[in-house]
Amino acid sequence: MGHVFLDEIANVPLSQQAKLLRVLETGEYEVLGSSQTQHAQVRFICATNADLKTLIENDQFREDLYYRINTIEFRIPPLTERKEDIVPLAEHFIDRLSQKYGKPNISLSECAHSPLNQYHWPGNIRELSHLMERAVLLCVGTQIKGSDLPLTPSESLASTNLGDTKKLPQITIEEAEKRLIRQALDATEQNIPKAAKLLGLGKSSLYRRLEKYGDL
C-alpha cells in the first residue's frame, strides 16, 4: 500500500471533487488519455488551512467528500499555541538556510528569543521560514539578533506598512543576493567556480546572476 498526500484539499475545484470521491470509494481511476480502468490501493492523507464545514455550507466543498476523507482528523495547533516550538523551528530554518546561502555558523542570539515568542504568527510556519531566510540573507556576522527581526507583538509582518522606514531594513532580496555574490567573489579573489561553490550554486547559475546584475 502506498500513500498519497493532498495538500490544501479545499482548493480542489468542485468539478474534480466528484472524481476524487470516486477514486476514494472504489480505488479505480483512468490515466489521462487512456480508457483503461486501473486500480490503486493507497492511503490518502489530506491537509488544509480552510474551514471545510463553512465551505460545505457555502456549497464550495462536497459534504460526501468531507465525510469520506474525515476518517481520522489531526489538528496541528498554530504557532501561537505552541510557543515552545518557535525557537527550535527558527534554529532549524537558520541551519538549513545558512548552508543554502553559503553562510555557515550563523546562530540565533538569546536576545532574539523574546520577540519571536511574543509575536502572534498569523502566517505560521511559512512566515517563520520566510523571516529566517531574510534574516540569514541580511545577517552581518554570525548571530541573528532581536534587532534583526522586524517583529512587534501586536503587528503582522505581512501587513507591515512598507512606507514606514523605521520598521523594515531598506534592502530588497535582490540587493541581498547581490551582496552575497560580491562577498563570495571577494572571498575567492574573483574566482567564479569557487564563488559558485561557496554560494551553493552551479557555475552556470552564477554566470546567469552576474549577467543579470551587471552593476556588481
Side-chain angles (χ1 to χ4, degrees):
M1 176 182 289
H3 295 78
V4 174
F5 176 63
L6 301 177
D7 195 11
E8 294 298 346
I9 192 169
N11 294 338
V12 176
L14 278 170
S15 60
Q16 299 298 317
Q17 290 177 23
K19 297 179 181 179
L20 176 59
L21 180 61
R22 176 201 164 197
V23 175
L24 290 171
E25 290 183 335
T26 67
E28 296 179 347
Y29 68 98
E30 290 84 36
V31 177
L32 185 65
S34 171
S35 59
Q36 183 178 358
T37 299
Q38 301 190 42
H39 187 82
Q41 187 177 5
V42 297
R43 177 178 288 112
F44 280 88
I45 302 171
C46 309
T48 183
N49 288 319
D51 185 341
L52 292 181
K53 292 183 178 179
T54 299
L55 293 178
I56 291 170
E57 292 173 0
N58 295 330
D59 296 323
Q60 295 176 297
F61 198 84
R62 292 179 62 111
E63 187 172 16
D64 49 2
L65 177 58
Y66 170 75
Y67 288 119
R68 188 65 183 80
I69 65 176
N70 196 35
T71 305
I72 300 176
E73 180 179 349
F74 296 96
R75 177 181 176 271
I76 300 177
L79 284 180
T80 50
E81 295 181 19
R82 46 193 178 106
K83 297 285 189 180
E84 69 280 1
D85 291 340
I86 295 174
V87 169
L89 282 169
E91 291 174 336
H92 163 73
F93 289 131
I94 290 170
D95 288 342
R96 190 179 70 184
L97 292 164
S98 62
Q99 293 299 318
K100 175 181 177 181
Y101 291 113
K103 301 180 69 176
N105 303 319
I106 293 179
S107 61
L108 188 69
S109 68
E110 288 191 14
C111 67
H113 292 192
S114 180
L116 286 172
N117 286 326
Q118 291 177 11
Y119 186 61
H120 64 296
W121 298 107
N124 281 301
I125 297 292
R126 284 189 180 92
E127 186 177 7
L128 177 59
S129 173
H130 292 162
L131 179 71
M132 291 302 104
E133 183 167 19
R134 183 189 183 98
V136 167
L137 282 168
L138 300 180
C139 181
V140 177
T142 59
Q143 276 202 327
I144 295 174
K145 305 178 180 63
S147 58
D148 298 324
L149 306 175
L151 298 174
T152 60
S154 60
E155 194 170 47
S156 166
L157 180 62
S159 62
T160 299
N161 180 2
L162 296 181
D164 190 340
T165 58
K166 295 180 180 179
K167 290 179 180 177
L168 290 176
Q170 294 306 292
I171 184 172
T172 63
I173 294 296
E174 183 177 279
E175 181 58 35
E177 185 176 56
K178 289 164 66 174
R179 285 189 185 183
L180 287 175
I181 293 173
R182 282 195 294 266
Q183 290 173 7
L185 289 171
D186 290 343
T188 59
E189 298 180 345
Q190 309 303 309
N191 186 305
I192 290 179
K194 289 183 179 179
K197 185 176 181 180
L198 185 63
L199 291 166
L201 298 172
K203 186 169 64 174
S204 59
S205 296
L206 181 54
Y207 273 118
R208 284 195 297 270
R209 284 168 171 79
L210 290 172
E211 184 177 353
K212 175 183 176 182
Y213 304 132
D215 57 345
L216 276 174

